[in-house]
Amino acid sequence: MAGQHLIIVGKSGVGRSTVAANVGAALAETGRRVLLIGYDNHRSSAGNLSGGSELKALPVWGHGEEPPLYAHGYRGALCLEAGGGVAEDEAAQAALWAHPLVEAFQPEFVLHDVAWEPCGTFRLPVGIDGVASILAVTSADRCALQAVNGLFGWLNTVAAANARLGGVVANNLTGPLQEAIVSDFAGQTGASVTATIPHSIMVSVSDFYSQTLLESAPFSHVTYAYRKLAKTLVEAATLRRPRQLDDDAMKKWSGKWGDIIAELETGVVNGGLGI
């Protein structure tokens, strides 16, 4: 399928689906035709971008017992929940792209909220035309950053020839320390932090409303962060491929930040001296 494909990835729990729904809403606000596809059964991203509208079965579907679900959402975005089965089935994915409802929509941006975690054996959804752009969503936690590090390894393989890094989205950060952790990781790997999304209780509020932040809190500072990210994605700057930290380098980097956090928390620097 034509259009610019954005693959939203991240370790479970980092807010990947929240980012996907809000990026989709921000792109739709710019007047772009946005198609968002979710690949799990939680319906988190499509449910919020649709504003809580009922997700209906895609008509005339003959590939498997469970048809994909769809709804028209915020600013005309088309929301699809394909489920995990479609992602694994090339024929079903091709049928999804060829479906009259999807073909007639002619999306300018296709956002894939993929359920499988980033790692060295990552894979793209099938049927993507052209080069896909990957947004790696992460928190400041070591496990989340380690998963992104594995993705960076995959990006330097032949399997990733038709993919590029669209940037790192540092999500749900609580302050300068967490920003510094993600920024330092990006610096060590040669990646670019495309957006920093601060922690906000309004994210939970929008979830309770089954809406995106752009709909439930249009003037929130986090909403403006998503609008800025959408503008960056529209401009589509070319970024260099990041490098993966090997096991020793990752362990050393993690240990460094463990020491820094412990010193800040306890007031005792390495070697036993008080601050």
Side-chain angles (χ1 to χ4, degrees):
M1 167 168 283
Q4 185 172 339
H5 289 260
L6 301 175
I7 317 298
I8 319 295
V9 304
K11 187 171 179 59
S12 177
V14 299
R16 181 198 70 244
S17 293
T18 298
V19 170
N22 282 284
V23 168
L27 287 169
E29 273 196 349
T30 69
R32 269 69 178 186
R33 291 187 302 278
V34 174
L35 168 61
L36 172 64
I37 306 176
Y39 292 94
D40 63 32
N41 298 320
H42 297 297
R43 306 175 186 175
S44 302
S45 51
N48 283 3
L49 185 56
S50 69
S53 298
E54 181 185 359
L55 292 167
K56 302 177 181 179
L58 199 65
V60 196
W61 181 257
H63 296 270
E65 296 180 1
E66 295 291 334
L69 305 178
Y70 82 98
H72 292 283
Y74 184 71
R75 299 292 180 94
L78 178 59
C79 311
L80 285 175
E81 282 294 347
V86 171
E88 300 284 349
D89 187 336
E90 289 193 19
Q93 188 79 67
L96 185 64
W97 296 137
H99 193 279
L101 188 148
V102 177
E103 275 200 332
F105 188 69
Q106 296 184 338
E108 296 171 87
F109 282 88
V110 183
L111 277 64
H112 303 260
D113 177 17
V114 299
W116 50 99
E117 295 192 356
C119 61
T121 56
F122 186 74
R123 58 184 173 82
L124 295 173
V126 299
I128 294 176
D129 293 335
V131 177
S133 182
I134 294 179
L135 282 183
V137 182
T138 186
S139 65
D141 293 338
R142 183 189 64 82
C143 288
L145 290 166
Q146 192 163 339
V148 172
N149 189 55
L151 176 71
F152 290 173
W154 175 82
L155 277 168
N156 286 284
T157 66
V158 174
N162 289 328
R164 67 177 179 87
L165 182 67
V168 174
V169 177
N171 189 46
N172 199 30
L173 303 192
T174 58
L177 175 62
Q178 291 193 339
E179 291 180 21
I181 292 171
V182 178
S183 178
D184 186 47
F185 171 78
Q188 293 292 320
T189 56
S192 174
V193 178
T194 305
T196 298
I197 310 296
H199 172 78
S200 171
I201 193 64
M202 290 308 299
V203 174
S204 296
V205 171
S206 66
D207 279 341
F208 280 116
Y209 288 150
S210 295
Q211 294 176 339
T212 62
L213 274 163
L214 283 86
E215 187 172 6
S216 65
F219 304 111
S220 163
H221 65 291
V222 181
T223 298
Y224 283 108
Y226 278 115
R227 290 186 177 125
K228 183 178 179 181
L229 173 56
K231 181 180 179 182
T232 300
L233 295 172
V234 168
E235 293 170 353
T238 301
L239 302 177
R240 61 185 177 181
R241 287 187 182 271
R243 59 183 174 273
Q244 181 184 27
L245 298 179
D246 62 28
D247 290 345
D248 287 341
M250 190 70 192
K251 183 177 180 180
K252 182 178 179 181
W253 179 86
S254 298
K256 177 188 75 173
W257 277 102
D259 289 343
I260 292 172
I261 296 168
E263 289 168 5
L264 291 172
E265 181 67 20
T266 64
V268 178
V269 299
N270 236 357
L273 298 176
I275 296 177

